[in-house]
Each structure stands twice: as structure tokens, then as C-alpha cells.
Amino acid sequence: MSVKIGNINLGEFPLLLAPMEDVSDPPFRYVCKQNGVDMMYTEFISSEGLIRDAAKSRQKLDIFEYERPIGIQIFGSNIDSMREAAEIATKANPDLIDINYGCPVKNVACKGAGASLLQNIDKMVQMTKAVVEATHLPVTVKTRLGWDDHTKNVYEVAERLQDVGIKALTIHGRTRSQMYKGNADWSLIRDIKRNPYVNIPVFGNGDVDSVEKAANWRLEYEVDGIMIGRGAIGYPWIFREIKHFFKTGEYLAGPTIAERVDVCSTHLQKSIEWKGEKTGIFEMRRHYSNYFKGIPNFKDYRMRLVSLENVSEIASVLAEIKENFFETAHV
């Protein structure tokens, strides 16, 4: 059976790209789309930033036709601001609006936004209702198990948010207090999936960084699909490898060095197209070590890549990597 969010058909078991601050921009989304991701989200966007017309927030609304289906994710602590932000985001014409109730970082959660709302379910419900009423698009939510081990209240959250009209729920299998430490616990996600009252799609998120985990957790935790975040950074091939395994039961060989270089080059090119040469080159620096993770004796190349400011010089270093590591078929 196909998984549907509103009238968006995502196929039998969709793989979603998580919204990640400073990562899930259009250049990164492009290479993930090339590798078969079923649905993507923008980086999370501040409701206050959208209302103030802040350039950084506005730029995050950029979406492209080839990215569809794509959701714009918004966050905030003020219900009226979130309503207004939903109206602004709707005009950017995404396929859905997603609300972030999961971000654990201090400057979000300690300002009453993101995962902070897990401490005030009534306010979370009111905010969600306001967003649902402000747009004709499907509204989805991403959240965590709870604020800490004593308040794992996502079971209640799932029921109450469904009641006010959300069309899907993604749950990261950690509490806010865990941040990204320890292991994600998906057992509560399975409990929600088994709740006969919950009939919207439930997606699992947290720690999926291999074909084995995706395959095992699909069966064990009974989710409708999986959202992948950190596992895709520098490794967009994870989507095609998981899909290949689901389809054939066989493992796909990992990317060759040549493929790593080619995708890294494409990412760089898209980064420059979207942000301009100077910013595009600078922001790409955080990705090089991830693209070439596990390659022996790579440090010198990485140091060169993160120090160069000229596209043709970076291209020649990448060509050198391709040539020098040609013998290493797969890492």
C-alpha cells in the first residue's frame, strides 16, 4: 500500500531527507534527489525571521520544481507568528508545511520553540491548529519522544495533533535532554504506530546510517517510512542503497572514488549557482571530509580543499583525488 500525506503519494515505503540546519539547502537536496530520496524538507525556518522578512529566512524558502514533493519546515514560540509564517510559507508553493517540535539546540529550545513545546502540550496543540487553519496545504510535524526520560509524552502528542488535523508525524527516537547522544529508541514509535486511534503515517528518525538498520527497523518498528538525517551527510548514496536492497534483497556496491568526486563536484557547482562563488565555496568546506570519509591518507587533500578560494583550483584537486585513488574501487 502506498503512503499518502494528504494527496501526496509517496510510494510503498518512503525515504525522507531530514531538515537539517546548515545542511539541507538546495545544493545538498539536489544530490540527495539524484540518489532517489522520496521526499525532502527545507532547513528549518524561523517564523519571526519570515515575518521580519529577514534575508536568511527568506532565502530558505527557495524550492525548485525537480525537488518535489518538498515541505517547508517552520519553527517558533509564538502562535500568531507561526500562523503568519505558515501563510508566508504557503505562498512559496511547497507541497506541505512541517512544524518543528524537535530541535533540541539551546538557542531554539530555550526560547520556547522546537522541542521546548514538548513541555507544554496544550500550547503545541493550539499552535498546530493555528498552522493547519492558516494553509490549504497538508501540515506535518516532526518531534521527539519527550523533553526528558520522565516526560515521554509523544503518545499523547500523536493523538492530539492528529485531532487538530496533521497529516503525518515524524518522531526522532530521543528526548530533548539526550540531544544526539546515546542510541535512538524506536520502541515508543512502534507503540504509536500500533495505536488503533492513530491513522496518519508515522515516520521513524534517528541513527539510520546503513542498509541493515533501515531493513531491520522497517520490520521491527512497523513505521510507514524512514527519515534520514546525519546518515546522508556526505553520503547521499544511502537512499539508493536502501531502495536497491528493498527491491532486490541485494546489497549495492558503495560509490567508487570517481563517483564520490563527481557528486562532490556537482554539490559544489550547485552551491555556487545558488549562493554565488564566494559563499558557495566557503559553505561547501563543511562537506569535503564527509564525502571522502574512510579514505586513507586523505588529510592533505582535505586541508587543501578547505583552504582554496578558486573554483578551478578546487576542481584540479578533486581531479587529482580521482586520479590518485583510482585503485581504491570502493571505500
Side-chain angles (χ1 to χ4, degrees):
M1 261 175 61
S2 280
V3 173
K4 284 187 151 188
I5 299 177
N7 58 6
I8 306 163
N9 189 337
L10 295 176
E12 192 185 335
F13 187 83
L15 301 178
L16 288 61
L17 175 66
M20 293 176 283
E21 175 72 346
D22 293 331
V23 177
S24 307
D25 56 10
F28 180 68
R29 298 198 304 258
Y30 181 86
V31 295
C32 289
K33 191 70 177 178
Q34 299 287 93
N35 280 281
V37 68
D38 294 300
M39 182 153 143
M40 305 187 290
Y41 298 81
T42 61
E43 299 170 77
F44 70 172
I45 306 175
S46 158
S47 55
E48 302 295 340
L50 279 184
I51 292 166
R52 288 198 318 273
D53 209 16
K56 191 178 178 195
S57 296
R58 285 281 175 169
Q59 191 186 30
K60 288 179 182 176
L61 290 173
D62 285 359
I63 52 177
F64 300 90
E65 280 305 308
Y66 64 78
E67 297 185 297
R68 296 192 184 279
I70 185 162
I72 288 177
Q73 191 189 65
I74 57 175
F75 74 96
S77 59
N78 179 284
I79 293 173
D80 289 334
S81 300
M82 285 291 279
R83 181 188 290 114
E84 200 176 330
E87 290 168 359
I88 295 166
T90 300
K91 288 177 185 156
N93 199 25
D95 297 285
L96 60 83
I97 304 288
D98 188 75
I99 308 174
N100 181 314
Y101 292 137
C103 181
V105 300
K106 253 186 190 162
N107 65 355
V108 173
C110 292
K111 289 180 180 167
S116 173
L117 273 302
L118 285 161
Q119 298 176 103
N120 188 344
I121 307 301
D122 289 344
K123 183 178 178 182
M124 184 195 271
V125 171
Q126 289 172 342
M127 184 179 281
T128 305
K129 187 172 188 283
V131 170
V132 168
E133 289 171 354
T135 181
H136 66 279
L137 297 168
V139 173
T140 61
V141 160
K142 180 163 191 272
T143 189
R144 289 185 167 231
L145 302 179
W147 181 256
D148 56 29
D149 282 344
H150 307 294
T151 55
K152 291 186 178 175
N153 47 17
V154 71
Y155 197 89
E156 177 194 347
V157 165
E159 290 189 351
R160 294 185 64 186
L161 296 190
Q162 177 181 269
D163 283 347
V164 293
I166 69 165
K167 301 299 184 195
L169 178 66
T170 300
I171 305 164
H172 181 102
R174 288 182 175 85
T175 61
R176 187 270 168 178
S177 60
Q178 277 182 277
M179 301 296 284
Y180 293 98
K181 298 186 183 78
N183 295 320
D185 173 12
W186 284 43
S187 55
L188 201 48
I189 305 175
R190 179 178 53 210
D191 291 346
I192 290 162
K193 191 57 215 160
R194 286 179 176 174
N195 179 350
Y197 185 74
V198 173
N199 51 39
I200 55 173
V202 175
F203 303 117
N205 172 234
D207 294 354
V208 178
D209 55 9
S210 68
V211 171
E212 290 85 354
K213 278 186 190 170
N216 292 338
W217 294 6
R218 175 183 184 176
L219 295 174
E220 188 177 348
Y221 297 111
E222 303 164 20
V223 288
D224 293 297
I226 288 173
M227 181 182 278
I228 297 174
R230 290 173 297 164
I233 298 176
Y235 205 85
W237 302 278
I238 191 166
F239 298 106
R240 77 171 186 192
E241 289 177 14
I242 292 170
K243 289 194 142 182
H244 183 81
F245 185 83
F246 285 164
K247 203 172 178 181
T248 66
E250 294 168 1
Y251 289 97
L252 197 62
T256 60
I257 296 296
E259 276 184 286
R260 286 172 182 261
V261 169
D262 289 346
V263 172
C264 182
S265 302
T266 300
H267 192 160
L268 173 64
Q269 174 203 332
K270 291 287 174 189
S271 189
I272 290 166
E273 281 173 19
W274 188 56
K275 294 168 182 163
E277 190 165 323
K278 189 178 178 186
T279 309
I281 287 171
F282 177 75
E283 293 200 356
M284 189 63 195
R285 290 176 178 173
R286 65 170 73 103
H287 292 285
Y288 293 124
S289 60
N290 293 308
Y291 272 115
F292 300 105
K293 196 183 272 178
I295 298 176
N297 309 315
F298 190 76
K299 191 179 174 187
D300 288 348
Y301 289 106
R302 186 177 65 79
M303 297 309 286
R304 284 162 67 190
L305 286 169
V306 299
S307 62
L308 294 171
E309 295 176 10
N310 176 289
V311 184
S312 57
E313 288 174 359
I314 295 169
S316 71
V317 173
L318 289 170
E320 200 182 312
I321 292 166
K322 196 187 264 194
E323 198 175 307
N324 288 356
F325 289 97
F326 184 72
E327 297 304 317
T328 320
H330 300 281
V331 175

